[in-house]
Amino acid sequence: MRGVRRLGVVCLLATILSYVECQNEYLFLSNGTDILRLLPGGTSSVVISSQYIGRAVGLAIDRDNGLLFWSDVSASKRGIYKADLNGDNIRKIVDNDVYEVNGLTVDWAANNLYWTDERTRRIEVADYDGGKRRTLISTGLQFPRGIVAEPKNGYLFWNDQGTKKIERSKLDGTSRTVLVGSGLYWPNQMTVQYSGGTEKLFWVDGWNKTIQSCSLDGSNLNQAVSDLTSVSDGNPLFGLAVYKNNIYTSIWNNGKIVTGSTKTVVYSGVGSNVMFSLAAVDTTLPDLGMNNQCHKMSTGCSHLCLPTGATTSRCSCPTFGGLTLSSDGKTCRKPSKILLYALADAGEVGYADTAVLQSATGLLDRYLVARSNRPVAVAYDPLQQMVYWSDVYDRAIYRAKLDGSQREVFLNSSQSIGIVDGLAVDISQGRLYFSNMGFVTVNNVAYSWQRIEMIRLDKSERKIIVADVEKPRALWVDQANKYLYYSDWGTTARVMRSKLDGSGAIEIKTGLKNPNSILVDGADIYVVDARAKDSSVNGSVLKGNKDGSSLNDLSSIQLQTPFGMAKDGKYLVVSDWGSSSIKSLNTDTGAVTEVISGLGKPMGLLVTDVQNSVQSGVPCQGVTNDCTDICVVQPSSSTASCTCSSYDVEVLKTDRKTCAAPQNFVLFADMNAIKLVSLDQNTNRDPQTIIQGNSYFSNFAALVYNKQTQTMYFSDVNRRIIFQAKLDGSDLRTFYSPNHTIDGMTLGNGRLYWTDYFSGKIASVNLNGADMKEHVTGLHKPRAIAVTQTYIFWTEWGNNTRVAKAPLSGGALVILLQGNLKWPNSLKVDEDNNKLYVADGYSKKVYTSDLNGAGRQELPGFNSNAQHLYDINIQDNSLFFSDWTDREIAKVDLSSRSKDVLATTLMRPTQMVVQYTVPPATTPMKVPTTTATAVDTTPPVFTFCPSNMRVVTKETSMTVYWQQPTAKDDRGNVHLDSNLAPGETFLAGSTTQVMYTARDEAGNSAPCRFSVEVVKITTGCDDLPVPLNGNFRCQKSGDNTTCVLGCTNPRFIDTSKYSDKYICANSAKWSPPVTNNALPDVCLLPQPPQEIGYNFVMKLRGPCTNTVPFKSKVVAELIKHLQNMPACFAKLGNSDIKLCYEDQISVNCTNTSGRKRRAVEEFLANLNLVATLQTHNNPSLHADYARLVEFIQNISHSLNDFTVTVDNVDFTTANVSAAPVPAQLRCMDTQANVGGYCVSCPAGTIKDNVLKRCVQCNANQYQDEEGKTSCKNCPPKSTSPKGAFLQSQCIAEVTTAPPEASIGMIVGIIVGVIAVIVIVIVVVVIIRRRKPDMSEDQVDYANPAYEEIPADKLGLKTPEGPYTQLDLNLGSKGDEGYASLHLGRKE
């Protein structure tokens, strides 16, 4: 109450002096643009003006401390602010990771601020400075809105417009319970009334137009305290405040504040009509919550003090910051040992002090390292104190400090990362081990990779160490004995052990179902077997000897579907999907404690020391070795083995120490990578990845190699680009972009030739990328190609499968081979021996003939050695080939017919190059080391993402269109995937989440999420069209239905063309009239103009002399003041600002007081600013405009500090205002001037340069982009409504049958229908008679939560060729909702 008493003294003095009107008690209102103080008698004053506010929504006050808090949800000023109650001392206290804060409340006893964020779906708390921030609630929320703290009893209340619930917890977030679970629709602001020693909770329901209440325990529910339908004009209710036992509520869109009891309008027309939150200053209230320990400052908390009751409290630490609560229960400090965990559904990577394992209450506070889309595995490096985690949605491995700082992408899909289920850090060697698997499907065939890899923590020395694994998951590094343990949950589920380089693998345990986690502790091994493949049994933890013997269930811990595991002394910790909990087992007593519960699917676990300075982190330190690349310590710890990186051209030479580039090799394309396998004698045959594309988006098919320049050229059939690079992977760049689907390429005559599978062309270009020529056209699906000096040879897959040739100089084509060919994939020409070789993938045969097609025969010595033959190469008496089905590169000796597999466990090898010569006697060539290019870790940015949509219909369902989101990336193309597309049909009464994901070529991703809510309302009128970038909110009152139109911020309604309110009355027609067309141009988006002017009006205190010298002095001093900013001729990005010409500044001696006599005179100074924005080819245009707006605010602030002395008289600034000058607004050619704003004509419209405004596209046209001057025509034989903003709104015309049909046709149809019915009945009877009883052993107990079909087990048809279309499936197929990509060619 000290603040109130101070205000009272000020008011008394002000009354005596008679120059300040003062009032201790008042209401505050946020109306989007301003924060107002509402005084008795219906008057108001601005406390925080629009120059400091973008869109203020949430509002809260601390009466005793004289503080005002508000939230701003605008893009430019998003955050939480505070100021004094009189508007002074404005400061932003929360500015990161907040998006749509609609509810604010304060615990004035503990000085804590609470808020809801609809976008992040969280409830958080911080101190009054925005620090010490904690997330209290992050699960079970959809659209959290209103929130109120009740310090007297230590409660926190909130509501949710998505779940339609009101919930309560303690002020520390514990003891969460539902108070009201029905009868709600749009609950908004909440408040607590203190009257007569009792407390009551009140809230408004915006849709139902009611004020509702209940007791603090949820009893005495009254959902009709006051029905304000009659005064709401069909608008929703939003704000609510209690003041001296009166309840006030604000009505959105009509600018009214009414009392709940009498329904009296006490304020109207206050500022804008968009009325948001209310807050009251009521000095009659007693001191509340003052008995709490937090208020008395008796807890000794180092950070947050959170009440848990009327007189009880507990200390808490920030969610981020790397701290935990110490054993004294008061101090937040850095922990010494932690339990790391990943929560997939909650999207959290967190930690807890291991002391929680001994707690009977479990974990009260969750501390976070990071938020991530779907984290699974965790690992930790105590030397650098870095947390590593995998995200199976992002297909990435991340790392960050324990306090959340220095977060970065460690590896992602651009570096061949798929689903990573297992992570482990080898502290002593400074390496990260990880499992890595994934697949893409082409024409219903899956091509997959499964492996275990290791990499240095500095991102060097990456090596594939295990390739013969089906579904790798758990990893454990035995630091003491130098072994790696890993699990495979494929067809033969098992636990394996190998050396740290992956060699010497042996089986430890077989006969398992789903080995999800492994832990080695001394001589013991623990294995989590979820047994999810067998739904009849629960999962368990097995314990036994480290060699796998004597493994027995730990039956004392009851589990359903366990996943992760960790151990700290006698405490064994297990995460369990089935119970959505993390449990701790005391292995001595058998006692079990739930550490965390109710959080979806907890995943990986790890107990680790936070800091460790004993281990070196340097590979093979202290062990003698001469390795030139990677050194791996052997189990004896006194010896080491050498190996080479898997992502380099170099292979291990015969000395077993040196890594160097091979002289003989096979270079080949393998789906998303270019790889090499050495043919040098006594070298490692492991495939080396030279170029790694994106795991899911790249599709490399054709490949050629120029030996003289050591340059390779390869095609990506998804991007329709030809790349080039050196053999070592350096100098990678785009060589040519023909926009062709290139399946085959060859070099010859100083040119690169290729086939275009879809357009049926053969083309070529010089090796400098110039002089593109088309040689042959009109072909059907050409693939393989070869050239001589005079002829082009090719194969065709199409209707006339064949091998043909044509002269390079032009002329008729000649068919060489035809018949008994189906998939002619490869073609080789031996001009010296007049021989032609053709490989047919379907028959698995190689045919030969002369170069004129004569003498065709099967190649002797090659007898179906391939399952799906793709490319061939002849060297001496050997035939090299790539095989899709067996996923290998092999060589066959045509004399002995012996087969030598050169590379296996590939994805889908296609074209290859064989360099096979006799090695020289000199030392093998060492390819120069190249500087690694920077890894792109910056995700794409959505330039447009629709806001939540609410549409209304009288039907049972509604088809909804929305404008497609757009995204950009700073390094290239962006691919958009979504779970739903515009034009989907949604059921009435449903709320559906729509999610778009933007992925760049480096695999970085960004989400765009919005909801589509379909409200069913009975009207006699037609359905309202869906406004693009807007919503209708409708309310039925009697026979009338009122729908209010609103636009998503920052768009505004074009009131020159549309009304913001539509009424359906007895006439069954909307008033004003609407059509069933789309409304693309109802909500307009302000855009940066080409030129704009601002006028600053300064009110200066002091006697004005109406003389030229006086005015010139003031102008000169103003210019000098602005130059000190500097603000005269500013350069903001690519845009110019001019302010300091003398003709831009004027002084007006008009008396501004309006009084004849005044002790202090005032006069005006006007400053006209002209800003010219560079709009052509300016990528920073929007940033320039944002800087301009900020610059104008800074000028206003600076001018407030302006003082000048003229003739020994001091002049000071009273106030400054700034406003745009409409006459100085100049828009770009593609923009229209609407209401003083430049707007880009939205999708569905174009700029009419004659009418100078936006007009809708005509019927049968559409425009899916903003800011255009012409519409696009719908495809032939399709129509669209006027104003269509998507091509999908062009609907194919329906061809109707002739009006008259012959009698014969009618009789024929009737007879046909009867015949079909008879056949169906007969078939059903036969099937029922033959159908046997299902025996028990025929029941399939497969659990889809874990099953992913391995590529080599599908047994589906072999595809024609490389995919060109991409379909992202985010369903629940596969291992618990892991996304799968389906890529298929559409003919």
Side-chain angles (χ1 to χ4, degrees):
M1 292 293 290
R2 293 187 300 273
V4 174
R5 294 192 182 99
R6 286 198 303 270
L7 286 173
V9 173
V10 172
C11 288
L12 177 60
L13 292 174
T15 302
I16 294 172
L17 296 175
S18 300
Y19 69 87
V20 175
E21 182 180 18
C22 191
Q23 179 69 35
N24 289 348
E25 301 175 353
Y26 31 72
L27 291 174
F28 283 94
L29 166 71
S30 62
N31 68 354
T33 58
D34 302 282
I35 295 177
L36 307 173
R37 181 169 57 187
L38 309 179
L39 302 173
T43 61
S44 64
S45 62
V46 175
V47 177
I48 308 294
S49 68
S50 58
Q51 72 181 95
Y52 304 106
I53 291 175
R55 189 170 178 84
V57 177
L59 193 63
I61 60 171
D62 182 336
R63 179 195 68 181
D64 293 354
N65 290 296
L67 294 176
L68 171 68
F69 300 87
W70 71 94
S71 65
D72 195 314
V73 300
S74 67
S76 60
K77 298 181 180 179
R78 184 180 291 129
I80 299 176
Y81 296 77
K82 79 170 180 179
D84 296 342
L85 284 178
N86 61 2
D88 291 342
N89 298 319
I90 298 174
R91 53 268 199 209
K92 194 175 189 179
I93 58 174
V94 180
D95 63 353
N96 69 307
D97 198 24
V98 286
Y99 297 93
E100 193 172 344
V101 176
N102 291 309
L104 274 179
T105 186
V106 295
D107 173 4
W108 58 81
N111 286 0
N112 291 327
L113 176 69
Y114 296 77
W115 67 88
T116 62
D117 192 322
E118 184 171 314
R119 183 83 64 86
T120 64
R121 302 180 182 183
R122 296 196 296 262
I123 296 174
E124 300 189 59
V125 63
D127 64 17
Y128 275 5
D129 292 321
K132 305 169 186 176
R133 182 172 165 184
R134 272 213 62 78
T135 298
L136 295 183
I137 308 290
S138 62
T139 60
L141 301 175
Q142 291 185 19
F143 305 127
R145 300 283 290 193
I147 186 170
V148 62
E150 197 282 292
K152 180 180 178 182
N153 298 286
Y155 288 135
L156 182 69
F157 302 88
W158 69 90
N159 58 50
D160 192 314
Q161 290 190 358
T163 63
K164 311 283 194 286
K165 296 177 181 177
I166 291 177
E167 298 187 69
R168 184 193 75 183
S169 73
K170 296 178 181 179
L171 282 168
D172 68 343
T174 62
S175 303
R176 179 178 177 180
T177 185
V178 176
L179 293 189
V180 182
S182 62
L184 301 175
Y185 198 82
W186 285 351
N188 277 319
Q189 195 172 2
M190 313 176 74
T191 189
V192 174
Q193 182 185 49
Y194 298 90
S195 177
T198 61
E199 299 82 38
K200 186 177 291 186
L201 178 68
F202 285 85
W203 64 93
V204 290
D205 191 301
W207 177 266
N208 296 325
K209 312 296 185 298
T210 56
I211 299 175
Q212 304 180 17
S213 71
C214 69
S215 298
L216 299 190
D217 61 359
S219 62
N220 301 314
L221 176 63
N222 183 351
Q223 294 192 303
V225 174
S226 181
D227 188 335
L228 300 178
T229 303
S230 61
V231 293
S232 66
D233 300 330
N235 295 292
L237 311 184
F238 194 99
L240 187 70
V242 174
Y243 172 66
K244 290 188 176 180
N245 294 326
N246 290 321
I247 301 175
Y248 295 85
T249 186
S250 62
I251 302 176
W252 210 41
N253 281 338
N254 71 357
K256 294 180 181 177
I257 297 176
V258 301
T259 57
S261 56
T262 63
K263 304 181 184 179
T264 302
V265 177
V266 292
Y267 297 96
S268 62
V270 181
S272 73
N273 285 336
V274 183
M275 314 288 270
F276 288 118
S277 299
L278 290 170
V281 174
D282 187 353
T283 59
T284 63
L285 286 177
D287 292 348
L288 301 169
M290 303 309 173
N291 293 323
N292 194 277
Q293 296 171 341
C294 295
H295 178 73
K296 296 179 178 179
M297 306 293 287
S298 60
T299 59
C301 298
S302 65
H303 285 69
L304 281 174
C305 180
L306 301 177
T308 56
T311 60
T312 58
S313 63
R314 69 180 183 91
C315 300
S316 187
C317 304
T319 297
F320 289 94
L323 305 176
T324 59
L325 195 63
S326 64
S327 57
D328 65 4
K330 299 178 180 180
T331 308
C332 297
R333 46 91 172 138
K334 293 182 179 180
S336 58
K337 183 183 282 189
I338 56 172
L339 168 68
L340 269 176
Y341 60 84
L343 303 177
D345 290 348
E348 296 178 355
V349 180
Y351 64 95
D353 196 303
T354 52
V356 73
L357 304 180
Q358 306 175 37
S359 170
T361 59
L363 181 62
L364 294 177
D365 287 337
R366 299 204 309 276
Y367 307 108
L368 298 187
V369 177
R371 292 189 172 96
S372 198
N373 278 320
R374 193 165 184 82
V376 170
V378 290
Y380 188 71
D381 173 19
L383 299 181
Q384 300 298 322
Q385 298 178 40
M386 296 291 287
V387 179
Y388 292 78
W389 73 93
S390 66
D391 191 306
V392 297
Y393 179 86
D394 293 346
R395 303 297 203 275
I397 299 173
Y398 296 93
R399 68 179 175 184
K401 290 286 189 180
L402 189 64
D403 62 5
S405 63
Q406 299 183 34
R407 175 173 175 167
E408 66 171 343
V409 176
F410 187 72
L411 294 170
N412 64 11
S413 62
S414 68
Q415 297 146 310
S416 188
I417 294 298
I419 294 170
V420 176
D421 282 345
L423 290 174
V425 170
D426 183 349
I427 304 171
S428 63
Q429 305 298 301
R431 288 195 177 99
L432 177 72
Y433 289 79
F434 58 94
S435 64
N436 188 0
M437 67 177 184
F439 69 92
V440 292
T441 60
V442 182
N443 291 352
N444 296 324
V445 177
Y447 297 97
S448 59
W449 70 93
Q450 307 92 6
R451 53 185 179 253
I452 296 172
E453 303 185 57
M454 69 179 186
I455 187 172
R456 285 289 305 277
L457 298 182
D458 62 3
K459 301 184 182 181
S460 66
E461 300 181 4
R462 182 176 174 185
K463 175 74 175 175
I464 298 172
I465 60 172
V466 179
D468 57 341
V469 61
E470 188 178 339
K471 293 182 180 179
R473 175 156 285 172
L475 298 178
W476 183 270
V477 174
D478 184 349
Q479 307 270 354
N481 299 294
K482 310 303 177 188
Y483 282 113
L484 173 70
Y485 293 80
Y486 60 92
S487 72
D488 183 343
W489 58 278
T491 306
T492 303
R494 56 187 178 170
V495 174
M496 305 287 292
R497 188 194 74 186
S498 72
K499 299 176 183 178
L500 292 178
D501 60 1
S503 64
I506 61 173
E507 288 184 344
I508 294 296
K509 179 62 178 178
T510 59
L512 303 171
K513 297 292 184 182
N514 297 88
N516 286 340
S517 186
I518 304 170
L519 186 151
V520 174
D521 184 21
D524 298 327
I525 187 171
Y526 295 80
V527 178
V528 165
D529 188 359
R531 298 172 179 164
K533 295 178 182 177
D534 186 349
S535 60
S536 63
V537 295
N538 286 336
S540 64
V541 177
L542 308 174
K543 177 186 177 183
N545 297 324
K546 197 160 51 173
D547 60 4
S549 62
S550 304
L551 278 174
N552 297 308
D553 281 5
L554 293 178
S555 56
S556 55
I557 182 169
Q558 299 297 314
L559 303 168
Q560 297 179 37
T561 311
F563 188 91
M565 177 173 52
K567 195 168 186 290
D568 181 32
K570 62 183 178 181
Y571 294 99
L572 183 70
V573 191
V574 182
S575 61
D576 186 11
W577 287 8
S579 61
S580 298
S581 65
I582 297 176
K583 298 181 179 181
S584 170
L585 168 69
N586 186 324
T587 56
D588 290 346
T589 65
V592 177
T593 300
E594 278 197 349
V595 179
I596 307 178
S597 62
L599 294 175
K601 290 181 170 57
M603 308 296 285
L605 300 175
L606 178 70
V607 168
T608 177
D609 291 327
V610 172
Q611 192 168 356
N612 188 330
S613 58
V614 177
Q615 303 284 359
S616 67
V618 179
C620 298
Q621 186 172 27
V623 179
T624 302
N625 73 89
D626 298 317
C627 302
T628 62
D629 195 357
I630 301 176
C631 174
V632 182
V633 177
Q634 295 299 293
S636 65
S637 296
S638 60
T639 60
S641 64
C642 302
T643 186
C644 307
S645 168
S646 298
Y647 297 83
D648 196 326
V649 72
E650 297 182 345
V651 298
L652 194 63
K653 307 302 286 186
T654 54
D655 62 2
R656 316 312 295 170
K657 298 178 181 179
T658 306
C659 294
Q663 291 184 308
N664 306 296
F665 54 81
V666 179
L667 186 69
F668 58 94
D670 186 23
M671 184 68 84
N672 53 32
I674 304 297
K675 298 180 180 179
L676 175 147
V677 61
S678 172
L679 296 179
D680 287 351
Q681 294 183 354
N682 300 317
T683 58
N684 197 314
R685 285 275 183 87
D686 291 337
Q688 300 293 117
T689 299
I690 309 301
I691 303 290
Q692 179 61 61
N694 187 286
S695 301
Y696 297 95
F697 302 147
S698 298
N699 184 8
F700 305 143
L703 170 72
V704 293
Y705 178 64
N706 188 328
K707 182 179 178 180
Q708 284 69 36
T709 61
Q710 294 190 359
T711 302
M712 55 180 162
Y713 303 85
F714 55 95
S715 69
D716 188 325
V717 297
N718 281 354
R719 302 177 194 175
R720 300 188 171 203
I721 292 174
I722 301 173
F723 293 96
Q724 76 172 54
K726 294 297 184 181
L727 181 62
D728 63 356
S730 64
D731 196 24
L732 173 64
R733 63 181 186 270
T734 298
F735 169 70
Y736 196 71
S737 301
N739 196 30
H740 290 170
T741 304
I742 300 174
D743 281 1
M745 293 196 306
T746 190
L747 289 170
N749 309 315
R751 300 179 70 85
L752 175 66
Y753 296 80
W754 66 84
T755 59
D756 183 356
Y757 187 89
F758 282 114
S759 70
K761 298 175 182 178
I762 294 177
S764 72
V765 71
N766 281 337
L767 295 185
N768 61 5
D771 188 30
M772 190 276 219
K773 295 180 180 179
E774 291 186 357
H775 300 277
V776 185
T777 60
L779 306 179
H780 196 196
K781 299 181 180 178
R783 171 161 285 177
I785 184 173
V787 296
T788 65
Q789 289 185 346
T790 55
Y791 279 97
I792 302 175
F793 298 77
W794 70 88
T795 68
E796 290 179 68
W797 267 57
N799 298 329
N800 297 313
T801 307
R802 63 190 181 182
V803 180
K805 71 176 182 179
L808 274 172
S809 59
L813 65 84
V814 178
I815 298 175
L816 303 179
L817 300 177
Q818 197 169 24
N820 293 324
L821 289 175
K822 190 171 184 179
W823 296 341
N825 288 333
S826 184
L827 175 72
K828 293 294 181 289
V829 170
D830 183 353
E831 198 171 14
D832 294 337
N833 296 298
N834 190 30
K835 263 199 170 183
L836 179 71
Y837 297 86
V838 178
D840 185 77
Y842 182 78
S843 65
K844 312 171 191 175
K845 295 178 180 179
V846 178
Y847 298 97
T848 65
S849 72
D850 66 20
L851 295 185
N852 292 315
R856 172 177 173 174
Q857 65 175 350
E858 288 185 30
L859 179 68
F862 187 81
N863 187 16
S864 300
N865 281 287
Q867 294 301 310
H868 182 102
L869 192 61
Y870 191 87
D871 195 23
I872 59 170
N873 203 299
I874 308 294
Q875 293 285 337
D876 297 330
N877 199 41
S878 297
L879 183 141
F880 295 79
F881 64 91
S882 58
D883 187 333
W884 278 15
T885 301
D886 286 342
R887 302 193 301 163
E888 64 185 21
I889 301 288
K891 179 183 75 170
V892 171
D893 187 305
L894 297 178
S895 298
S896 65
R897 300 190 177 185
S898 61
K899 177 181 176 181
D900 183 11
V901 177
L902 304 176
T904 187
T905 64
L906 305 174
M907 289 187 66
R908 190 210 56 192
T910 50
Q911 195 167 357
M912 61 183 180
V913 175
V914 178
Q915 179 170 299
Y916 196 62
T917 58
V918 177
T922 57
T923 304
M925 173 193 69
K926 176 75 173 181
V927 176
T929 303
T930 59
T931 303
T933 57
V935 177
D936 180 8
T937 60
T938 303
V941 176
F942 271 95
T943 54
F944 170 72
C945 179
S947 295
N948 295 337
M949 301 178 65
R950 282 193 178 103
V951 296
V952 293
T953 181
K954 62 181 180 180
E955 308 296 339
T956 58
S957 63
M958 188 176 189
T959 300
V960 181
Y961 289 90
W962 55 82
Q963 186 177 349
Q964 288 278 24
T966 56
K968 66 178 181 179
D969 187 68
D970 58 354
R971 293 202 183 185
N973 297 326
V974 178
H975 181 81
L976 288 184
D977 302 305
S978 66
N979 62 335
L980 295 170
E984 299 277 357
T985 299
F986 298 85
L987 295 176
S990 67
T991 300
T992 306
Q993 294 298 312
V994 181
M995 183 172 70
Y996 282 76
T997 301
R999 297 182 191 274
D1000 62 17
E1001 295 179 355
N1004 304 301
S1005 63
C1008 159
R1009 300 183 182 94
F1010 60 95
S1011 64
V1012 176
E1013 181 181 3
V1014 181
V1015 179
K1016 184 174 183 179
I1017 183 167
T1018 303
T1019 70
C1021 300
D1022 293 334
D1023 282 351
L1024 285 169
V1026 178
L1028 193 61
N1029 301 308
N1031 291 306
F1032 278 113
R1033 293 174 179 259
C1034 302
Q1035 174 65 44
K1036 190 173 180 64
S1037 177
D1039 294 331
N1040 292 348
T1041 300
T1042 302
C1043 292
V1044 178
L1045 175 62
C1047 294
T1048 56
N1049 185 54
R1051 297 176 186 264
F1052 65 95
I1053 300 174
D1054 183 0
T1055 54
S1056 66
K1057 298 168 62 176
Y1058 296 100
S1059 171
D1060 61 354
K1061 185 183 300 182
Y1062 295 85
I1063 300 174
C1064 178
N1066 295 329
S1067 63
K1069 293 183 179 179
W1070 291 102
S1071 177
V1074 293
T1075 67
N1076 285 327
N1077 294 338
L1079 295 179
D1081 53 346
V1082 64
C1083 293
L1084 303 178
L1085 179 65
Q1087 295 283 5
Q1090 191 166 351
E1091 190 168 280
I1092 189 171
Y1094 274 86
N1095 190 51
F1096 296 89
V1097 178
M1098 300 177 60
K1099 185 183 293 185
L1100 298 172
R1101 292 193 182 98
C1104 181
T1105 304
N1106 195 14
T1107 63
V1108 172
F1110 173 80
K1111 294 181 179 180
S1112 299
K1113 175 68 173 177
V1114 174
V1115 170
E1117 290 298 321
L1118 270 171
I1119 292 176
K1120 182 178 179 181
H1121 179 81
L1122 293 170
Q1123 286 174 337
N1124 290 331
M1125 288 187 53
C1128 286
F1129 307 100
K1131 187 78 173 177
L1132 297 182
N1134 296 312
S1135 302
D1136 297 312
I1137 296 176
K1138 296 180 180 179
L1139 179 60
C1140 294
Y1141 288 108
E1142 289 188 5
D1143 59 0
Q1144 290 180 283
I1145 305 175
S1146 63
V1147 175
N1148 185 353
C1149 286
T1150 302
N1151 189 341
T1152 65
S1153 66
R1155 302 175 184 176
K1156 294 183 178 180
R1157 293 183 180 179
R1158 182 174 171 85
V1160 179
E1161 295 184 8
E1162 296 176 346
F1163 63 97
L1164 299 180
N1166 293 277
L1167 291 76
N1168 181 244
L1169 174 147
V1170 178
T1172 303
L1173 281 77
Q1174 175 59 44
T1175 57
H1176 182 66
N1177 292 331
N1178 181 8
S1180 63
L1181 174 61
H1182 285 79
D1184 290 352
Y1185 187 62
R1187 294 190 194 103
L1188 170 63
V1189 174
E1190 182 179 358
F1191 184 76
I1192 290 169
Q1193 294 174 352
N1194 292 338
I1195 291 175
S1196 295
H1197 289 305
S1198 176
L1199 291 176
N1200 272 303
D1201 298 331
F1202 173 73
T1203 61
V1204 62
T1205 301
V1206 181
D1207 297 331
N1208 297 320
V1209 178
D1210 293 332
F1211 296 84
T1212 60
T1213 303
N1215 59 57
V1216 178
S1217 63
V1221 181
Q1224 291 180 314
L1225 181 68
R1226 186 158 59 93
C1227 302
M1228 289 182 276
D1229 292 339
T1230 57
Q1231 296 175 338
N1233 185 337
V1234 180
Y1237 293 98
C1238 292
V1239 300
S1240 289
C1241 293
T1245 71
I1246 58 172
K1247 167 71 178 301
D1248 188 317
N1249 287 319
V1250 176
L1251 300 176
K1252 303 296 183 182
R1253 60 184 177 85
C1254 302
V1255 297
Q1256 292 187 9
C1257 291
N1258 293 324
N1260 306 328
Q1261 294 182 320
Y1262 73 97
Q1263 179 52 262
D1264 53 3
E1265 299 178 84
E1266 293 191 352
K1268 298 299 179 181
T1269 56
S1270 63
C1271 297
K1272 302 176 183 178
N1273 292 324
C1274 285
K1277 297 183 179 180
S1278 64
T1279 61
S1280 70
K1282 186 177 181 181
F1285 52 87
L1286 294 168
Q1287 185 179 7
S1288 58
Q1289 291 175 279
C1290 298
I1291 308 299
E1293 295 177 349
V1294 178
T1295 303
T1296 59
E1300 296 180 2
S1302 65
I1303 297 297
M1305 180 182 295
I1306 296 173
V1307 172
I1309 292 173
I1310 295 173
V1311 172
V1313 172
I1314 294 174
V1316 171
I1317 294 173
V1318 172
I1319 292 172
V1320 171
I1321 294 173
V1322 172
V1323 171
V1324 171
V1325 171
I1326 292 173
I1327 291 174
R1328 287 188 173 179
R1329 288 182 177 178
R1330 297 183 60 186
K1331 182 178 179 181
D1333 293 332
M1334 179 72 77
S1335 61
E1336 185 175 347
D1337 60 357
Q1338 291 177 289
V1339 177
D1340 183 9
Y1341 288 107
N1343 188 327
Y1346 278 79
E1347 276 307 321
E1348 282 187 16
I1349 304 174
D1352 51 354
K1353 305 298 181 183
L1354 287 177
L1356 300 173
K1357 69 174 182 178
T1358 309
E1360 287 187 2
Y1363 53 81
T1364 58
Q1365 199 167 47
L1366 193 145
D1367 173 31
L1368 177 66
N1369 176 14
L1370 295 176
S1372 59
K1373 257 188 176 180
D1375 189 59
E1376 178 32 45
Y1378 293 159
S1380 63
L1381 282 160
H1382 303 277
L1383 306 118
R1385 166 175 275 154
K1386 295 291 179 71
E1387 298 296 343

